[in-house]
Amino acid sequence: MHWPDDLATRRIDTPRVSLRLVQEGDVPAVFALFSDPQMERFLSFRNWRNLDDAHAWYQKARDGMVEHKLMQWMLVERSSGKVIGASRLFG
């Protein structure tokens, strides 16, 4: 799979949300999402118990992107800048 050189800076914007690639600074926000017991029913894995789970998830995503095996996109509310979701695409 060939990725454009500027992929890291690309984003998809709509009036309400943006999609962009994951950044290390997203770890606390993703932890808040995936550790919420209400979210567990929507996840394919058990909800996270500590921040180490979020750091391991981030590292796996970064490794997969470096190896061009996946893209980890973050859904961001434009009005607040808050991460409200994530989507991992494999290729």
Side-chain angles (χ1 to χ4, degrees):
M1 172 186 298
H2 174 73
W3 291 0
D5 293 335
D6 66 343
L7 183 63
T9 60
R10 290 192 183 187
R11 54 189 304 134
I12 299 168
D13 292 316
T14 72
R16 294 178 54 198
V17 298
S18 294
L19 278 173
R20 62 161 172 74
L21 290 179
V22 67
Q23 302 167 358
E24 190 169 8
D26 295 329
V27 168
V30 175
F31 175 70
L33 286 172
F34 292 164
S35 64
D36 181 346
Q38 296 294 321
M39 284 290 292
E40 192 165 29
R41 66 186 173 138
F42 301 109
L43 302 174
S44 60
F45 50 88
R46 70 169 180 81
N47 63 345
W48 295 341
R49 308 294 186 232
N50 58 58
L51 201 52
D52 290 341
D53 293 335
H55 283 288
W57 173 89
Y58 171 76
Q59 191 57 54
K60 187 173 183 177
R62 290 297 306 164
D63 291 348
M65 289 192 299
V66 167
E67 296 167 6
H68 291 196
K69 293 181 178 179
L70 63 88
M71 288 188 287
Q72 181 63 58
W73 292 92
M74 306 308 295
L75 184 64
V76 181
E77 183 179 53
R78 289 186 72 186
S79 63
S80 68
K82 180 181 178 182
V83 172
I84 58 172
S87 180
R88 185 172 285 184
L89 303 176
F90 296 91

